[in-house]
Amino acid sequence: MSVTLDSDDSVVVLAHEQFPGRAKTAVGVLRYADYDVAAVLDRAHAGERVIDHVPDVDDAPIVESMDAALEMDPDALVIGISPIGGAFDESWRPDVQTAIDAGCDVISGLHYFLADDPEFADSAAESGADLVDVRRPPADLGVSEGQAGQVDADVVLTVGTDCNTGKMTTTLELVAAARAQGIDAGFVPTGQTGIMIAGWGIPVDRTIADFAAGAVERMVLDAAADHDVLFVEGQGTIVHPAYSGVTCSLLHGAMPDALVLTHSAGREAIHGYESVALPPVETYVDLYESLAAPVAPTQVAAGALDTRAFEADDAAREAVTAYGDAIGAPATDPIRFGAETILDELP
Amino acid sequence: MSVTLDSDDSVVVLAHEQFPGRAKTAVGVLRYADYDVAAVLDRAHAGERVIDHVPDVDDAPIVESMDAALEMDPDALVIGISPIGGAFDESWRPDVQTAIDAGCDVISGLHYFLADDPEFADSAAESGADLVDVRRPPADLGVSEGQAGQVDADVVLTVGTDCNTGKMTTTLELVAAARAQGIDAGFVPTGQTGIMIAGWGIPVDRTIADFAAGAVERMVLDAAADHDVLFVEGQGTIVHPAYSGVTCSLLHGAMPDALVLTHSAGREAIHGYESVALPPVETYVDLYESLAAPVAPTQVAAGALDTRAFEADDAAREAVTAYGDAIGAPATDPIRFGAETILDELP
């Protein structure tokens, strides 16, 4: 991404007719982004407030159009929803056009690249707005030079026993908990939703395979210049039949000082590959550590367990304890019980 | 690749002014390709014979131009040399044009894509010739479905302790040795030179990272329909700071029945990453086997050692024996001592 949003910036989040239930990115941005959300665009809820729908985030007005949001002087418009297939909904065109004409950058995770839309591209060239398509990796990526281990910042990578085990959420909760303790923590986003939330990043799974570790290295080097601790969002799992290469590239590209192993309680097989049983969680500890060792030694310092399968907190606590025993490291459910337990174990 | 060359086909190999010393692909094609080489194009050596320069391959005439080669009625022209940067040398244009106009397919591993050259593209559309740029992965790749383990053919994957440890050569020597024993063996090429030699294949390192294992799976499924045993060309090494993701995708995408571990005697650090020491060879056995196990269990069945560092055969034999002892499997140098030792160990 050519644009970096930081805590001084404010954005408008487009979520027409889908806020909040079908607007995962919009809600993620409200919950985790550093930058300020000045308004949410949803013509179905115009006049209401964000906290009417999502109680535990900073409040913002819901307005019907970018025209109405311009008076808040936003820096960017973030596309916070995605139709199936990542197409562009033509009903959003007036809002995007208004943003561009006002000089606001537009940040999109759609498969439809805004920068390839001639109308938007021409207008952006005129107004100076940047059109940022986060699904498109930079064209100038190269192979990793194996330098991420040299940075001054401590680097923590989340890894998992499968996809959808809470790697992004755990990473973001760790960043928030670290900052709450006054630590200068940076988030290194590696997937589309994380990139939308952070306002920068490279979608590692969309890079050319030879450049995947290089993309991770570049992000770590860049972010390490600005922070004392980096929390790198992991992807997939090292035993995934399709995505393990991306996971491996993250492990060797980030050269982390510590790993946090995420798992979803009750998960028995790789999601979507039911014939591939998850090995015991301790096997993952061995695999991640032994694979990292020749390139950049590291260890699983803590575990994060998604305990949504348990209704009662007592059962969840028992599961967390058993999980920690199995992996030989302290564990918690960062959503249910907070991320501090993990933070205490990190370098 | 949209064209598959097989043993019924004959090709002309372009190697102007660089045969044989600087024509690695041309020599590889002569040595290993299934298809017949009708002629080599090299205006500097026109009138001579291939065996005047490369004694241990099937002979063919060296001619000055594609015009002269057309009388042999070839099926395709293979670009057998590559300038630094993979550019197209305009002095080759008349030969390529002649081939296309005669309906010959043209197969190129250059970074310059022939199919994007308007002149060539127009002519090919007219004559029906295919322009095959092997460096461009197919546009319709997808994620692996984890099906390669289901094929009837036995699948053997070469893996390595580093890049440039003889994975392609070992794989091709195994194919040749198996065929000499009457086994219906197929070669699954995964890199540019292998693809040129085979006349088909996907450059796995150039695919989108999420689709790398899927590309391998597709090739295994395709080739398994035609052969009893498949030898899959490996790439990189599982402890490579930049390329390990590609290696991991090959391991999980191919779901091999057996691994052959290649090593280069005397190598102490990852090529180009001198600060990354090679771990002991037995560590690689553990890593490859333990990483494969949860997805598709396999084992290192044999070793291939590049013994070029030893002038004397005795010293080479000692090194091979020590290497075999270290990895706990029979080993050989397939170039120096033949590949049969390995073949005996395979399923």
Side-chain angles (χ1 to χ4, degrees):
Chain A
M1 269 175 72
S2 55
V3 169
T4 299
L5 293 173
D6 60 35
S7 52
D8 298 334
D9 294 315
S10 80
V11 309
V12 172
V13 180
L14 185 152
H16 280 309
E17 294 162 10
Q18 303 196 27
F19 187 79
R22 290 177 295 154
K24 185 180 155 187
T25 299
V27 174
V29 161
L30 282 160
R31 179 158 289 143
Y32 292 117
D34 290 350
Y35 50 83
D36 186 49
V37 175
V40 168
L41 301 191
D42 185 347
R43 49 192 162 232
H45 294 292
E48 303 171 18
R49 309 282 307 180
V50 162
I51 52 165
D52 298 338
H53 300 274
V54 187
D56 55 343
V57 300
D58 284 345
D59 195 20
I62 302 177
V63 302
E64 65 173 347
S65 70
M66 192 65 194
D67 260 330
L70 276 186
E71 68 183 53
M72 294 153 205
D73 195 24
D75 297 291
L77 172 64
V78 170
I79 309 296
I81 49 180
S82 179
I84 290 170
F88 182 78
D89 186 322
E90 283 297 325
S91 79
W92 308 339
R93 185 169 289 274
D95 290 316
V96 173
Q97 189 65 51
T98 299
I100 295 171
D101 291 342
C104 282
D105 303 330
V106 185
I107 301 176
S108 164
L110 299 174
H111 273 299
Y112 180 89
F113 290 152
L114 301 184
D116 293 346
D117 181 295
E119 211 171 315
F120 292 153
D122 287 351
S123 305
E126 224 165 278
S127 77
D130 279 317
L131 301 177
V132 184
D133 293 295
V134 306
R135 263 206 170 118
R136 174 151 50 193
D140 64 343
L141 290 175
V143 302
S144 174
E145 297 181 4
Q147 295 302 310
Q150 308 297 320
V151 300
D152 286 332
D154 290 320
V155 177
V156 179
L157 172 67
T158 46
V159 292
T161 60
D162 193 1
C163 297
N164 301 313
T165 53
K167 284 180 286 290
M168 186 187 81
T169 301
T170 297
T171 310
L172 288 163
E173 290 291 338
L174 283 167
V175 171
R179 289 180 182 167
Q181 295 185 9
I183 298 167
D184 180 0
F187 171 55
V188 177
T190 61
Q192 175 201 343
T193 305
I195 295 171
M196 301 289 285
I197 289 170
W200 74 287
I202 300 173
V204 175
D205 58 355
R206 306 292 302 175
T207 64
I208 288 175
D210 252 3
F211 301 159
V216 177
E217 177 188 50
R218 178 190 291 194
M219 286 190 283
V220 168
L221 295 181
D222 285 355
D226 298 328
H227 298 285
D228 295 333
V229 184
L230 299 182
F231 293 93
V232 182
E233 177 196 8
Q235 297 289 339
T237 175
I238 200 62
V239 300
H240 197 282
Y243 306 137
S244 60
V246 173
T247 308
C248 191
S249 298
L250 272 151
L251 185 67
H252 287 152
M255 300 182 145
D257 299 289
L259 303 172
V260 176
L261 180 62
T262 66
H263 178 55
S264 184
R267 186 82 57 93
E268 291 182 349
I270 297 289
H271 182 72
Y273 299 78
E274 299 308 319
S275 67
V276 181
L278 263 58
V281 289
E282 49 268 41
T283 299
Y284 287 95
V285 177
D286 290 344
L287 278 176
Y288 283 116
E289 292 182 354
S290 61
L291 188 56
V295 179
T298 190
Q299 56 179 333
V300 173
L305 186 70
D306 175 351
T307 62
R308 273 178 296 186
F310 300 100
E311 210 171 302
D313 280 358
D314 277 0
R317 280 194 195 281
E318 271 176 42
V320 160
T321 302
Y323 178 60
D325 289 347
I327 66 171
T332 188
D333 179 335
I335 294 291
R336 197 162 195 159
F337 304 124
E340 291 72 18
T341 304
I342 300 174
L343 215 54
D344 293 344
E345 301 304 318
L346 300 179
Chain B
M1 264 176 76
S2 55
V3 168
T4 299
L5 293 172
D6 60 33
S7 52
D8 298 335
D9 294 314
S10 81
V11 308
V12 172
V13 180
L14 186 151
H16 281 309
E17 295 164 11
Q18 302 196 26
F19 187 79
R22 291 176 295 154
K24 185 181 156 185
T25 299
V27 174
V29 161
L30 282 159
R31 180 157 288 142
Y32 291 118
D34 289 349
Y35 50 82
D36 186 49
V37 175
V40 168
L41 301 192
D42 185 347
R43 49 193 162 231
H45 294 292
E48 303 171 20
R49 308 282 308 179
V50 162
I51 54 165
D52 298 337
H53 299 274
V54 187
D56 55 344
V57 301
D58 285 345
D59 195 19
I62 302 176
V63 302
E64 66 173 346
S65 70
M66 192 65 194
D67 261 330
L70 275 186
E71 67 183 53
M72 294 153 204
D73 196 23
D75 298 292
L77 172 65
V78 170
I79 309 296
I81 49 181
S82 179
I84 289 170
F88 182 78
D89 186 323
E90 283 297 325
S91 79
W92 308 339
R93 186 169 288 275
D95 290 316
V96 173
Q97 190 66 51
T98 299
I100 295 171
D101 290 342
C104 283
D105 302 329
V106 185
I107 301 177
S108 164
L110 300 174
H111 273 301
Y112 180 89
F113 291 152
L114 301 184
D116 293 345
D117 181 296
E119 212 172 315
F120 292 153
D122 287 351
S123 306
E126 225 166 276
S127 77
D130 278 317
L131 301 177
V132 183
D133 293 295
V134 308
R135 263 207 170 119
R136 173 150 53 192
D140 64 342
L141 290 175
V143 301
S144 174
E145 297 181 3
Q147 295 302 310
Q150 308 296 320
V151 300
D152 287 333
D154 290 320
V155 177
V156 179
L157 172 67
T158 46
V159 291
T161 60
D162 194 0
C163 296
N164 301 312
T165 54
K167 284 178 288 289
M168 187 188 79
T169 302
T170 297
T171 311
L172 288 162
E173 291 291 338
L174 283 167
V175 171
R179 288 179 182 167
Q181 294 186 9
I183 297 168
D184 181 359
F187 171 56
V188 176
T190 61
Q192 176 200 342
T193 306
I195 294 169
M196 300 289 285
I197 289 170
W200 74 286
I202 300 172
V204 175
D205 58 355
R206 306 292 302 174
T207 64
I208 287 175
D210 252 3
F211 300 159
V216 178
E217 176 189 50
R218 178 190 291 193
M219 287 191 282
V220 168
L221 295 182
D222 285 355
D226 298 329
H227 299 285
D228 295 333
V229 184
L230 299 182
F231 293 94
V232 182
E233 177 194 7
Q235 298 288 340
T237 174
I238 200 63
V239 300
H240 197 282
Y243 306 138
S244 60
V246 173
T247 308
C248 191
S249 299
L250 272 152
L251 184 68
H252 287 150
M255 300 181 145
D257 299 290
L259 303 172
V260 176
L261 180 62
T262 67
H263 178 55
S264 185
R267 186 82 58 93
E268 290 181 352
I270 297 289
H271 181 72
Y273 298 78
E274 300 309 317
S275 68
V276 181
L278 263 58
V281 289
E282 51 269 39
T283 299
Y284 288 94
V285 177
D286 289 343
L287 278 176
Y288 282 115
E289 293 182 353
S290 60
L291 188 55
V295 178
T298 189
Q299 55 180 331
V300 173
L305 186 70
D306 175 351
T307 63
R308 274 179 295 186
F310 300 100
E311 211 171 303
D313 280 358
D314 277 359
R317 279 193 196 281
E318 271 175 43
V320 160
T321 302
Y323 178 60
D325 289 347
I327 67 170
T332 188
D333 180 336
I335 294 291
R336 196 162 197 160
F337 304 124
E340 291 73 17
T341 304
I342 299 173
L343 215 53
D344 292 345
E345 301 304 318
L346 300 179

